[in-house]
Amino acid sequence: MKFIFVSGGVISGLGKGITASSIGCLLKSRGLRMNAVKIDPYLNIDAGTMNPFEHGEVYVLEDGGEVDLDLGNYERFMDLRLGRDNNVTTGKVYQAVIENERKGEYLGKTVQIVPHITNEIKRRILAAGEKADVTIVELGGTVGDIESMPFVEAARQIGRELGRENVLYVHCTLIPITGTVGEEKTKPTQHSVKELMGAGIRPDMIVGRCAKEISPAARAKIAMFCDVDEHAVISCPDAHSIYEVPIILEKQGVVDYIVSRLRLETAPRNMDRWERFLGDVLSPKTEVTVALVGKYTSLADSYLSQLEALTHAGAQLACKVHVKFVDSDDLLHCDPAAILGDVDGILVPGGFGIRGVEGKIAAAKYARENGIPFLGVCLGFQIATIEVARDLLRLEDADSTEFEPGTRDPVIFIMPEQAGVTQMGGTMRLGAQRVLVKKGSKAATLYGSTDISERHRHRYEVNPEYIERFEEAGWHFTGRSEDGTKMEIGELDGHPYFVASQFHPEFKSRPGSPSPLHLGLVEAAIACKNNH
Ligand code: GLN
């Protein structure tokens, strides 16, 4: 059981998650069993209720955990399947401690941050460590934040208890370049390391984010003042693709350093698959543009897994996928052709609430009528179904009861057996569920299987009363839940690619094994472009 703690300083948003994921990717490529934990010092129990506009997307795990998007990076870079316990938040920790206190488990002691909160944090980290050779623990936020202090203290104690050959501390900082000669400034890094040392943690490795490669002089200075080995000062310049970062780190000896410091026994390096994938990402032979029609389009992170799934699908086809972010409301104020006329495919992702819905419906209509490849995911599946109902079934008022509770034609609604539970909350269908796919359908071809499992995060379903009429109109439900009552995939007749799913295929997309439905979209987009 070995741990690598990854902390950050100077500013947030340094790509600490990508650094942590990349280190994990490299160690995994040496045959080590990996696990990863993300620590989020906020008070929320999980990311389920958090606004994607502020925090980026809510990532969904197999077990239904709604977690920070960094867990998506871990799963993609280390090809892992994580669970909700891999995301530790202040909310979860305090909840557990307070529940224990109420049960009298602390035997009359005064319950305090140290040792009760820190012990609970350690318990969770150590439990994750049991499952792997090496566990990466990423400390969210920056060192010095009030909220992260108990976590930093727990990380320090684990280092002390397990010993230096079992625990390694990596600190990520920013190295700004200023002045007319473009000199790298190491002072912020020095201050940040001082802060970390003040909390009792001496970093073993420093990863400096810098616009360019860090010069030997700056490297020496950081090593000297921060008291780390010179070859443990790593430069992480801006990369063309996040998938290049493992290679950038490896070239600077990151793996060798970690392997010797933690006395790891490794297998021969195997990065063949990763390098092939990276080659396809970096030197595509063709390109297409896909419109992503959403409402959080000003923060690309709110659709992170969709973007990654498009990258994975594109790489498989040696195609660069440019994404055009379209604010769905714009489609109501302007002619959709003016906005979507130049794209080769349209993707409508998931979402909640009524804002932007009519614009998404307009996008689906435009795609359907003009033969533009279309993929709808979750809410995208529901709005495609509403659009088909309004236009092909001639049910003008067709809607989801989420947006129009009194609609005459609730083609999307809450299943009666779910309706009772609404009051108690917890009605969301979450996590991996089996989907049976119709033989001979596009989906069956793309998945290469008629029995699949995909992740869910939604409340509303297709109303079974309308299914027959949809099927007659050519909107076929080619994927259904195990018991046949819930519609999972829709495919439209007579269209090059008009496909939508109630589940989220983007969450299981990986470098080298893309989401089948995204692959279908990009394939169709390439064909669509070549035809024009
Ligand atoms: N709002 C819809 C529902 O709850 C879709 C959710 C989503 O797209 N994730 O069913």
Side-chain angles (χ1 to χ4, degrees):
M1 179 162 58
K2 315 249 177 189
F3 290 96
I4 298 177
F5 287 94
V6 180
S7 57
V10 185
I11 58 166
S12 60
L14 280 175
K16 189 162 31 111
I18 297 296
T19 302
S21 304
S22 298
I23 292 173
C25 170
L26 291 169
L27 295 178
K28 172 127 189 177
S29 78
R30 307 291 168 114
L32 293 162
R33 282 183 312 133
M34 301 300 298
N35 200 2
V37 175
K38 172 74 195 287
I39 287 176
D40 282 310
Y42 46 64
L43 278 159
N44 306 56
I45 299 286
D46 63 30
T49 56
M50 295 174 90
N51 178 357
F53 188 60
E54 263 179 59
H55 296 274
E57 81 177 0
V58 176
Y59 189 77
V60 182
L61 301 170
E62 291 287 294
D63 68 2
E66 298 171 277
V67 295
D68 183 82
L69 55 77
D70 271 319
L71 278 89
N73 289 324
Y74 304 160
E75 288 205 332
R76 289 185 282 266
F77 276 68
M78 294 178 240
D79 197 16
L80 292 175
R81 279 197 181 188
L82 302 172
R84 62 179 89 242
D85 292 344
N86 292 85
N87 198 183
V88 176
T89 67
T90 298
K92 282 183 190 167
V93 171
Y94 272 72
Q95 191 178 45
V97 170
I98 290 169
E99 275 169 14
N100 285 342
E101 187 274 331
R102 290 291 84 186
K103 282 188 246 154
E105 284 182 14
Y106 298 118
L107 306 173
K109 287 259 188 307
T110 308
V111 181
Q112 294 180 297
I113 293 183
V114 182
H116 300 96
I117 294 293
T118 45
N119 282 350
E120 177 63 22
I121 295 169
K122 274 160 56 185
R123 190 186 66 73
R124 286 167 184 257
I125 294 174
L126 294 170
E130 301 260 323
K131 298 185 184 142
D133 298 322
V134 183
T135 299
I136 311 250
V137 184
E138 181 190 346
L139 295 164
T142 47
V143 168
D145 297 345
I146 292 179
E147 294 171 318
S148 62
M149 278 163 67
F151 295 102
V152 175
E153 169 61 11
R156 182 191 74 78
Q157 290 184 17
I158 288 177
R160 191 183 138 75
E161 284 158 25
L162 299 189
R164 295 298 282 169
E165 72 279 10
N166 293 316
V167 179
L168 187 121
Y169 299 100
V170 177
H171 192 57
C172 300
T173 71
L174 175 74
I175 300 175
I177 295 178
T178 56
T180 40
V181 288
E183 192 193 352
E184 302 121 299
K185 293 294 184 190
T186 65
K187 214 26 137 332
T189 299
Q190 294 179 42
H191 279 300
S192 163
V193 168
K194 216 173 252 173
E195 181 101 42
L196 189 63
M197 285 184 172
I201 293 180
R202 171 186 297 268
D204 299 286
M205 181 181 283
I206 292 183
V207 178
R209 271 305 300 271
C210 189
K212 56 176 198 188
E213 195 149 325
I214 307 171
S215 68
R219 224 179 254 256
K221 205 163 161 187
I222 292 171
M224 164 75 188
F225 288 111
C226 301
D227 202 20
V228 296
D229 292 338
E230 211 162 298
H231 60 277
V233 179
I234 306 298
S235 172
C236 200
D238 296 342
H240 298 288
S241 158
I242 52 168
Y243 297 108
E244 215 182 337
V245 176
I247 308 293
I248 293 175
L249 298 185
E250 189 182 34
K251 280 193 183 133
Q252 298 175 69
V254 166
V255 186
D256 298 336
Y257 182 79
I258 294 174
V259 164
S260 80
R261 253 291 274 104
L262 290 180
R263 304 201 189 134
L264 294 165
E265 274 176 41
T266 58
R269 171 188 194 272
N270 183 0
M271 287 285 277
D272 297 355
R273 206 174 129 148
W274 191 270
E275 281 170 336
R276 228 176 302 129
F277 164 75
L278 183 61
D280 292 332
V281 170
L282 296 180
S283 32
K285 299 196 169 55
T286 153
E287 52 184 351
V288 294
T289 302
V290 169
L292 193 143
V293 182
K295 63 178 174 178
Y296 305 121
T297 47
S298 54
L299 182 70
D301 266 2
S302 42
Y303 297 114
L304 184 65
S305 292
Q306 295 289 357
L307 302 179
E308 296 313 321
L310 289 173
T311 302
H312 304 158
Q316 190 92 340
L317 301 163
C319 173
K320 163 89 192 156
V321 181
H322 300 280
V323 175
K324 177 172 179 176
F325 290 97
V326 173
D327 187 332
S328 53
D329 281 341
D330 291 348
L331 293 167
L332 296 179
H333 312 133
C334 313
D335 174 15
I339 298 173
L340 299 171
D342 60 347
V343 304
D344 311 304
I346 296 173
L347 171 59
V348 177
F352 290 85
I354 189 169
R355 194 170 72 77
V357 162
E358 289 301 323
K360 290 176 186 176
I361 293 176
K365 183 178 166 72
Y366 181 83
R368 187 177 56 76
E369 292 180 341
N370 295 283
I372 312 289
F374 172 89
L375 174 62
V377 170
C378 207
L379 179 67
F381 167 78
Q382 298 173 355
I383 62 96
T385 303
I386 294 168
E387 200 284 311
V388 168
R390 288 184 188 174
D391 253 32
L392 299 184
L393 268 51
R394 310 216 167 280
L395 303 171
E396 276 169 36
D397 293 331
D399 218 321
S400 162
T401 53
E402 179 179 8
F403 317 126
E404 192 53 64
T407 175
R408 239 187 309 162
D409 286 297
V411 292
I412 306 291
F413 77 150
I414 293 207
M415 288 278 194
E417 77 254 26
Q418 284 277 318
V421 209
T422 320
Q423 273 65 36
M424 291 171 248
T427 53
M428 193 94 88
R429 189 143 80 101
L430 277 170
Q433 287 184 15
R434 214 170 146 203
V435 175
L436 303 179
V437 184
K438 197 168 163 197
K439 242 171 123 177
S441 64
K442 263 185 195 136
T445 310
L446 286 165
Y447 275 92
S449 170
T450 54
D451 189 348
I452 62 171
S453 166
E454 288 281 15
R455 300 182 191 173
H456 295 74
R457 181 176 186 245
H458 68 106
R459 286 196 177 85
Y460 294 81
E461 308 280 354
V462 174
N463 187 339
E465 266 186 43
Y466 295 86
I467 291 174
E468 240 183 82
R469 276 181 274 174
F470 278 124
E471 292 277 350
E472 277 163 22
W475 181 231
H476 299 295
F477 295 110
T478 58
R480 300 185 182 207
S481 61
E482 230 176 320
D483 63 1
T485 61
K486 300 183 190 86
M487 300 305 107
E488 292 276 10
I489 304 175
E491 294 182 22
L492 191 68
D493 270 349
H495 187 287
Y497 192 83
F498 193 93
V499 175
S501 66
Q502 184 59 76
F503 53 78
H504 289 269
E506 71 275 22
F507 293 136
K508 279 176 70 177
S509 190
R510 301 280 180 270
S513 79
S515 142
L517 299 186
H518 289 76
L519 188 69
L521 175 69
V522 177
E523 216 165 25
I526 295 171
C528 168
K529 188 179 176 182
N530 291 342
N531 286 343
H532 287 150

